[in-house]
Amino acid sequence: MKKLTSECPELKRIFEENFSHYGELGASVSVWQDGVEVASLHAGYALQNQSKPWTPQTLVPVYSATKGAGFATLLLAMFRGGVSPDMSVGELWPEFPLPYASLAELCSHQCGLASFHRGCDVFDHDDCVRALEESTPAWMPPEHGYHPHTCGVMMDELMIRLTGERLWKYWDEHIRIPLDLDFYIKLPESEFNRVATLYPGKMDSSNLDTPFYKDYLTKGRPVYQAFHTLLGLNSVREMNTPAAWTCGMPSFGGVASARGIAKFYQACIGLDELGVFPVEVREWMKQIVVQGDDLTLKTPTAFSCGFMLDPSDSKGKKYRHLFGFNGFGHAGAGGSHGYADPDFGISFAYTMNRMDLNVLPGIKTQNLIHALMREMQG
């Protein structure tokens, strides 16, 4: 593996192909190594009418790429409060439906609470907590299935019980502001003019034929419920509003630049000057807690305490490379993505506004990741 010292020509070629071959509208890629940004690519437009150029400072809603920041914040608060991932959830939150589950099991999507038993309002945290407490787990550890929305309520409530404040505020005070990150969980009004407009992806037969989308599109199915029982921000149109940008939801409410996400992941592997995350927290981020068939995403997945990793089969062979060679991070619906590869001091982030119809990274994102891997191999 080599040290990256240039603008990464192979990565740049693939970035340009995303525009010429895959309909990219506006996008950025940021790559850092050993505390320094080594590649910053940006092109296109923040608006479909091409009246607003995309710049390195362009922000965009990043959906579940927010989860990395959210769980990192929770883990830091746990560490500072003397709380271990092995502790049972019920010691902090007695009303939780699975009180004997560990915090590690909660953070790795094992608690069987991927949906609420009834609809609840994303803007009413207390009602979301009540709805969650009234819900019955659909499975027990060690089974797991991605919790796309409910885990944000879990993070927020645990943070309130640990520190007395919402997660977005702890993120601002202890991580975002000290590290000067262009990565917001609750966007200030002063930054509204930097936000690009998202445009939805188009469905085709390859999407519709997957087990995930068959369930996602069928009302009443568990996968459909997981993505639709939290009400208020269920469309791309709704995500293009100040209400979405300021909701403070740590599972999908983040607004960020690629540079902000990639710089955050440098801190996750201890390459920030401040050393924000202690070594114990960094270990919690990168150590796999569970892997195997995902009951929500209908494909093998792997999770640490809140972060996605590439799962392996029984012989140790990875099913896919979405996080570099041996990294961790989090995908966002439509394509936004960020990860750290600690063995090589690398972090990567991609943000865009022409969405793919994918929960896990689609072709544009994958091509960029694989191009970076080729760059690292020389």
Side-chain angles (χ1 to χ4, degrees):
M1 303 299 165
K2 71 175 185 178
K3 187 170 178 65
L4 302 174
T5 57
S6 71
E7 283 289 309
C8 301
E10 176 67 4
L11 183 66
K12 184 177 181 180
R13 181 180 70 82
I14 296 300
F15 181 73
E16 291 171 351
E17 281 190 2
N18 278 351
F19 286 85
S20 61
H21 289 71
Y22 296 105
E24 194 79 280
L25 176 61
S28 287
V29 170
S30 178
V31 178
W32 291 59
Q33 187 174 36
D34 299 332
V36 177
E37 189 177 35
V38 294
S40 176
L41 307 176
H42 56 92
Y45 299 94
L47 294 173
Q48 192 162 262
N49 65 12
Q50 301 187 0
S51 64
K52 186 176 181 180
W54 189 289
T55 76
Q57 289 74 43
T58 296
L59 304 172
V60 70
V62 296
Y63 281 92
S64 289
T66 314
K67 287 184 174 73
F71 277 110
T73 307
L74 177 60
L75 295 177
L76 181 61
M78 286 167 50
F79 177 83
R80 291 181 173 180
V83 173
S84 162
D86 295 329
M87 179 183 289
S88 67
V89 181
E91 291 183 61
L92 292 174
W93 185 357
E95 302 86 359
F96 188 72
L98 206 62
Y100 299 108
S102 69
L103 289 164
E105 289 169 336
L106 179 151
C107 292
S108 56
H109 306 271
Q110 294 186 64
C111 288
L113 295 162
S115 63
F116 301 95
H117 82 105
R118 60 173 172 84
C120 52
D121 185 350
V122 67
F123 302 108
D124 187 340
H125 174 74
D126 290 341
D127 186 51
C128 289
V129 170
R130 286 193 298 272
L132 192 63
E133 290 173 349
E134 296 162 1
S135 300
T136 300
W139 64 78
M140 301 287 177
E143 289 188 300
H144 79 284
Y146 183 50
H147 291 41
H149 294 165
T150 55
C151 73
V153 177
M154 296 176 195
M155 282 188 260
D156 242 350
E157 184 62 16
L158 287 168
M159 182 63 70
I160 290 169
R161 290 170 185 258
L162 277 166
T163 69
E165 59 188 33
R166 293 285 296 271
L167 187 144
W168 70 263
K169 187 173 182 183
Y170 198 93
W171 161 256
D172 273 1
E173 292 175 353
H174 299 282
I175 302 172
R176 185 186 67 79
I177 292 172
L179 291 175
D180 190 26
L181 300 178
D182 230 4
F183 189 172
Y184 302 87
I185 297 177
K186 184 179 175 70
L187 187 69
E189 186 175 353
S190 60
E191 310 304 315
F192 285 3
N193 66 328
R194 291 203 285 144
V195 183
T197 298
L198 287 171
Y199 297 93
K202 295 180 180 179
M203 285 191 174
D204 59 38
S205 59
S206 64
N207 297 125
L208 296 173
D209 287 343
T210 63
F212 169 78
Y213 270 105
K214 285 179 180 178
D215 276 12
Y216 176 84
L217 295 170
T218 304
K219 287 187 177 182
R221 296 289 297 166
V223 175
Y224 179 93
Q225 296 294 101
F227 286 88
H228 292 91
T229 51
L230 187 62
L231 308 176
L233 295 174
N234 298 114
S235 70
V236 175
R237 178 182 57 80
E238 289 170 325
M239 292 298 290
N240 287 322
T241 63
W245 310 336
T246 60
C247 70
M249 174 55 75
S251 53
F252 65 92
V255 182
S257 67
R259 179 173 291 158
I261 296 173
K263 189 177 180 183
F264 159 68
Y265 276 105
Q266 284 284 285
C268 291
I269 51 177
L271 294 175
D272 58 307
E273 293 182 356
L274 300 179
V276 165
F277 297 112
V279 64
E280 293 91 342
V281 173
R282 301 201 305 268
E283 287 296 313
W284 297 344
M285 292 176 178
K286 69 181 184 180
Q287 294 298 323
I288 290 178
V289 175
V290 67
Q291 66 175 324
D293 292 336
D294 190 299
L295 296 173
T296 302
L297 297 181
K298 305 296 184 181
T299 188
T301 58
F303 291 95
S304 65
C305 285
F307 292 81
M308 289 179 161
L309 302 95
D310 289 312
S312 302
D313 63 20
S314 59
K315 296 181 180 179
K317 182 180 179 180
K318 292 185 183 297
Y319 285 99
R320 59 186 79 94
H321 286 279
L322 302 181
F323 303 95
F325 292 97
N326 194 31
F328 63 93
H330 217 287
S336 290
H337 194 61
Y339 72 84
D341 202 337
D343 293 346
F344 311 108
I346 288 282
S347 62
F348 164 94
Y350 164 60
T351 57
M352 79 301 125
N353 61 342
R354 176 78 75 194
M355 299 175 67
D356 290 329
L357 194 70
N358 293 287
V359 176
L360 293 175
I363 188 68
K364 292 187 297 181
T365 317
Q366 290 182 44
N367 285 349
L368 291 166
I369 295 165
H370 297 158
L372 179 59
M373 293 174 71
R374 292 194 295 273
E375 295 271 9
M376 293 169 64
Q377 291 173 317

